[in-house]
Amino acid sequence: MKNCPYSESELLEIAQRFKKHLKNLACLHDIYPDLNQDFIYRFKARFYEAQAHAHPHPLDSDADRIILVLQHEIDDLITRIRSLFQVFRYNLQKACPYGSEIWDEYGYSGLEHAISNHAVLQKYLEGFVKLANEKRVELKSANCPTKDIDEISELSLLFGRKRDELLEYKERKEIRSKVNKNNLSELFKLMKVVHKAAFGNLDANPELLKNLTFPPKEPE
């Protein structure tokens, strides 16, 4: 709500008061012909839309709860993946005690750098699983247990699904927030039209003037 001095709840409260008295704008029709029935319909439609998307919104509460659960599940998956990588690295070093170049090929250190960024981690895991599967026969012949690879692969797929789900819920919440801000912004514009018309022309009717103008905003 650009340049709006009121909070969301304050603006909706004022808009509700405006809405109740919009029919009285007929007395200003000669001066402001645009303040017609169509304007009243548009005002009410925008008000109800803004009210329906106002915070706190039940869908946002549900999303917040689900997002929190998903974040915990993802953190748990990362902990398990990290542990499995340590097991895999141990088995790989045991199978290839003098093959440091082989250890580097699987980029264990890359995991630690990727952990703080889910997108980077997902890409890293996909690369690791692809490489490990390509080298599966070679690893098996070196007596490196391939079950480590299978477990990491399974958790990597689960991590990817959980991350996608988390991003989807965050995106839905962001879209609702943008819709809400747009509705409030458009409603505020209509309210300013009403205020401007009433402020200069309803001095003879102080009660109506009060109900169709913004209240003074007290400094915080």
Side-chain angles (χ1 to χ4, degrees):
M1 295 182 290
K2 190 175 180 181
N3 300 323
C4 179
Y6 305 100
S7 68
E8 179 180 319
S9 59
E10 288 173 334
L11 190 70
L12 288 174
E13 185 178 343
I14 299 166
Q16 188 163 32
R17 173 162 51 79
F18 276 30
K19 179 178 67 69
K20 289 179 180 178
H21 296 86
L22 285 177
K23 58 183 180 293
N24 296 307
L25 288 172
C27 67
L28 300 177
H29 191 260
D30 290 342
I31 308 172
Y32 294 95
D34 289 341
L35 296 179
N36 51 24
Q37 192 60 46
D38 179 64
F39 178 88
I40 293 174
Y41 287 148
R42 285 191 291 119
F43 188 102
K44 289 183 176 180
R46 186 62 70 177
F47 169 76
Y48 290 128
E49 191 70 18
Q51 191 178 53
H53 288 87
H55 294 301
H57 195 279
L59 289 178
D60 284 337
S61 298
D62 289 342
D64 287 339
R65 178 180 54 79
I66 294 171
I67 286 170
L68 187 61
V69 170
L70 286 170
Q71 286 174 333
H72 283 313
E73 290 178 346
I74 287 172
D75 288 343
D76 179 62
L77 281 172
I78 291 174
T79 299
R80 292 166 64 190
I81 287 169
R82 178 186 263 162
S83 296
L84 279 174
F85 262 89
Q86 290 172 343
V87 173
F88 172 77
R89 183 175 175 81
Y90 170 78
N91 287 328
L92 182 63
Q93 289 175 335
K94 190 166 68 171
C96 308
Y98 305 106
S100 59
E101 72 284 351
I102 298 176
W103 310 340
D104 293 338
E105 188 177 9
Y106 288 92
Y108 177 78
S109 60
L111 173 70
E112 295 303 314
H113 289 105
I115 276 176
S116 60
N117 186 309
H118 290 175
V120 175
L121 178 58
Q122 186 167 358
K123 186 175 181 180
Y124 171 84
L125 291 173
E126 288 169 355
F128 169 85
V129 171
K130 183 175 182 294
L131 174 64
N133 281 326
E134 288 174 353
K135 302 281 189 176
R136 181 178 287 269
V137 174
E138 182 181 325
L139 290 169
K140 193 172 183 178
S141 64
N143 295 318
C144 184
T146 54
K147 67 179 182 63
D148 300 339
I149 300 170
D150 295 332
E151 291 177 11
I152 291 172
S153 178
E154 184 179 337
L155 290 182
S156 297
L157 289 173
L158 184 56
F159 172 82
R161 288 197 294 269
K162 293 293 182 181
R163 176 176 173 265
D164 289 345
E165 193 176 352
L166 177 64
L167 291 175
E168 184 179 346
Y169 273 99
K170 285 185 173 180
E171 184 179 8
R172 287 180 190 173
K173 185 178 177 181
E174 180 62 25
I175 289 172
R176 282 196 296 273
S177 177
K178 287 180 179 178
V179 169
N180 181 50
K181 288 178 181 177
N182 179 67
N183 283 328
L184 290 170
S185 178
E186 292 302 314
L187 178 62
F188 183 51
K189 289 178 185 177
L190 295 175
M191 292 170 73
K192 287 195 292 185
V193 172
V194 174
H195 173 88
K196 182 180 178 181
F199 191 75
N201 297 280
L202 292 177
D203 291 340
N205 190 336
E207 187 63 25
L208 185 57
L209 176 65
K210 177 183 176 182
N211 287 315
L212 289 175
T213 54
F214 290 114
K217 179 68 175 175
E218 296 293 332
E220 296 181 0

